[in-house]
Amino acid sequence: MVALPKLNRPCTERERERERERERALRRAPTHPRLRRPPPISNQNSKSISFGSQSPNPSKKKKKKKEGIVELFSSSMSSSGSSNVRPPAQDAWLQAYKSLLPQWQSISHSHQSIIPISISRVNQFDAGRLDIEMSAMLKEQLVKVFSLMKPGMLFQYEAELDAFLEFLIWRFSIWVDKPTPGIALMNLRYRDERAVESRGKVRTGLEGPGLTVAQKLWYCVATVGGQYIWARVQSFSAFRRWGDSEQRSVARGAWILIQRIEGLYKAASFGNLLLFLYTGRYRNLIERVLRARLVYGSPNMNRAVSFEYMNRQLVWNEFSEMLLLLLPLLNSSSMKKLLSPFSKDKSSSSKEDDLTCPICQSSPTVPFLALPCEHRYCYYCLRTRCAAVPAFRCSRCNEPVVAMQRHVSEPKQ
């Protein structure tokens, strides 16, 4: 019989402790495909032992396999540790910046494009009103130049004069990328809203380019040419009496068409006004069509307004309106009678007072007497007062006048 070889088993405590540490290291190792724990050896493999002299020892084979796994795990751990300590390449930050730049720009633009911008509606309306006043002042000065010409001659060319003044204001303000006088006083300027929406670079609400050449030309055509053509059409149709029913059907139809266009324009302007009051953008239809928005020209500009002149003007206007309301309600005769005891001029005789009419303060050419007090008046003064006021009272004695009689002078002896 062939003697079986003896299996070499770890007998010492030191070897057993080493095997336990290897098992613990294998359990803690990451689940990498190369570092996974090998499957356990089946019973068949463990029982299949060759009896030849050249067959390897199974205990040594198992031991070598475990040692190779532990060495592989330790080498991988050392390589990972060395890779963490190794510094990155010199251009690594540049590559990372280039890869993240498009995303960062898209995020920043999306946040900047939704910043709300609020422009004062009162300033925009005041700018339009100041422009109208400025053109009126220029027109007044220009009319004085032609004051020596034939009267009525300048009236025929009033539409051309207005168009010429509007063209001058447009040429030296908007065409050269400058605001109009009223817009400049309100610290505003025109901005192309289409370019701002396409770029999305909005930080404070004041960025953005001015109007393009096409927008400037269309603005001139709409404000200068449109107003001139519409004024001429209206004056020509009124002069030709297109609205009369006796005119031909073509003229009558043209008049109806003009009225409908005017009604549609007024309705659209009213709708645009409501939108402007709600959103604060585009005060008229021309600005809305051209997408020309008024924004602040400078973010840090204080309005230096002197309210002294404004206060004086308001006080004077209120005082004049109060006088216009109260003076017709006061009776002059009653006021005179009330103030007569306080009068200083008492030297005038009653005879001189009777010779003059108390209404016009002149000697009556056709004297009439007011009955029953018999005070003398002018016929025209007494007749008009009695016709205007049924319960007219005498201006001298404040008695009601019932009738009037012609005054007959006594003959001289």
Side-chain angles (χ1 to χ4, degrees):
M1 293 179 66
V2 178
L4 293 175
K6 294 182 180 181
L7 298 176
N8 297 325
R9 298 281 183 178
C11 297
T12 61
E13 292 292 334
R14 190 173 182 180
E15 292 179 355
R16 290 177 183 177
E17 191 67 27
R18 287 179 181 176
E19 285 185 0
R20 291 173 186 173
E21 289 178 359
R22 290 171 186 173
E23 291 290 337
R24 292 171 187 171
L26 289 174
R27 289 173 185 174
R28 296 173 186 172
T31 58
H32 194 274
R34 297 181 60 186
L35 302 177
R36 288 178 183 173
R37 185 175 181 180
I41 302 174
S42 61
N43 296 329
Q44 297 177 0
N45 297 333
S46 62
K47 290 181 180 180
S48 61
I49 301 172
S50 61
F51 293 94
S53 61
Q54 296 179 357
S55 61
N57 193 354
S59 61
K60 291 182 178 181
K61 188 176 182 180
K62 188 176 180 180
K63 188 176 181 180
K64 287 182 180 180
K65 190 179 290 185
K66 289 183 179 181
E67 290 178 356
I69 293 172
V70 173
E71 289 178 359
L72 180 62
F73 173 70
S74 60
S75 64
S76 63
M77 292 294 291
S78 62
S79 63
S80 61
S82 62
S83 63
N84 293 332
V85 178
R86 185 183 300 171
Q90 294 182 358
D91 57 345
W93 66 271
L94 185 59
Q95 294 178 359
Y97 173 76
K98 289 181 179 179
S99 61
L100 296 176
L101 182 60
Q103 299 178 2
W104 173 253
Q105 288 180 350
S106 62
I107 293 172
S108 61
H109 290 172
S110 64
H111 284 291
Q112 289 174 358
S113 60
I114 61 176
I115 295 177
I117 307 167
S118 179
I119 307 299
S120 177
R121 297 164 179 81
V122 177
N123 287 4
Q124 299 183 51
F125 276 126
D126 289 346
R129 187 62 186 173
L130 288 172
D131 287 336
I132 294 174
E133 295 293 336
M134 184 66 67
S135 61
M137 292 174 59
L138 293 175
K139 182 179 178 181
E140 182 181 359
Q141 297 298 325
L142 190 59
V143 167
K144 289 182 180 180
V145 177
F146 300 97
S147 59
L148 300 178
M149 296 180 62
K150 183 179 178 181
M153 181 178 179
L154 193 62
F155 179 75
Q156 300 177 359
Y157 304 99
E158 186 176 3
E160 285 79 5
L161 182 61
D162 294 339
F164 176 69
L165 292 177
E166 292 292 337
F167 177 78
L168 287 180
I169 295 174
W170 171 84
R171 172 62 182 82
F172 293 102
S173 59
I174 296 179
W175 179 250
V176 294
D177 294 329
K178 292 183 179 180
T180 58
I183 294 176
L185 289 175
M186 292 292 107
N187 187 27
L188 298 173
R189 69 177 183 90
Y190 275 118
R191 186 183 70 182
D192 187 7
E193 200 70 10
R194 299 174 300 177
V196 172
E197 290 181 358
S198 62
R199 295 181 181 180
K201 295 181 179 179
V202 181
R203 296 178 182 175
T204 62
L206 305 178
E207 293 82 1
L211 301 181
T212 61
V213 177
Q215 286 177 322
K216 295 175 185 177
L217 293 176
W218 281 112
Y219 186 90
C220 178
V221 170
T223 55
V224 181
Q227 292 181 4
Y228 169 71
I229 293 173
W230 184 252
R232 273 304 177 191
V233 168
Q234 283 188 333
S235 62
F236 185 77
S237 61
F239 180 76
R240 295 287 181 174
R241 296 181 180 179
W242 287 359
D244 296 344
S245 59
E246 300 177 356
Q247 294 291 336
R248 296 176 298 177
S249 60
V250 178
R252 183 67 180 174
W255 175 259
I256 294 174
L257 180 62
I258 291 173
Q259 296 299 319
R260 290 181 178 178
I261 292 174
E262 185 176 4
L264 291 175
Y265 179 77
K266 289 182 178 180
S269 299
F270 180 72
N272 181 78
L273 176 62
L274 296 179
L275 290 176
F276 172 75
L277 294 177
Y278 181 73
T279 60
R281 299 184 179 185
Y282 313 118
R283 55 182 179 174
N284 53 39
L285 291 175
I286 299 174
E287 294 179 358
R288 185 170 295 276
V289 172
L290 297 178
R291 304 297 298 275
R293 186 184 177 187
L294 286 174
V295 297
Y296 291 117
S298 175
N300 301 319
M301 181 176 179
N302 298 324
R303 289 184 60 188
V305 181
S306 177
F307 295 98
E308 184 179 358
Y309 173 77
M310 189 181 298
N311 293 335
R312 289 201 305 265
Q313 193 71 16
L314 289 174
V315 170
W316 175 249
N317 288 339
E318 294 296 331
F319 182 71
S320 60
E321 290 179 1
M322 184 184 66
L323 290 179
L324 291 176
L325 180 64
L326 295 179
L327 285 179
L329 302 178
L330 298 177
N331 190 358
S332 61
S333 60
S334 61
M335 292 297 295
K336 287 181 179 179
K337 186 177 180 181
L338 182 63
L339 298 176
S340 59
F342 304 98
S343 178
K344 296 181 180 180
D345 189 10
K346 298 181 179 179
S347 61
S348 59
S349 61
S350 61
K351 186 176 180 180
E352 293 179 357
D353 293 339
D354 292 339
L355 295 178
T356 59
C357 176
I359 298 176
C360 62
Q361 300 297 328
S362 62
S363 180
T365 55
V366 183
F368 267 73
L369 299 178
L371 300 178
C373 62
E374 296 185 357
H375 286 119
R376 190 161 60 173
Y377 288 85
C378 295
Y379 171 75
Y380 179 77
C381 297
L382 185 60
R383 186 64 179 174
T384 53
R385 290 301 176 91
C386 292
V389 182
F392 175 68
R393 294 178 177 272
C394 180
S395 301
R396 296 188 185 276
C397 60
N398 201 21
E399 292 185 3
V401 178
V402 179
M404 53 186 299
Q405 181 182 0
R406 189 184 179 103
H407 176 67
V408 180
S409 59
E410 297 178 357
K412 296 181 181 180
Q413 296 180 353

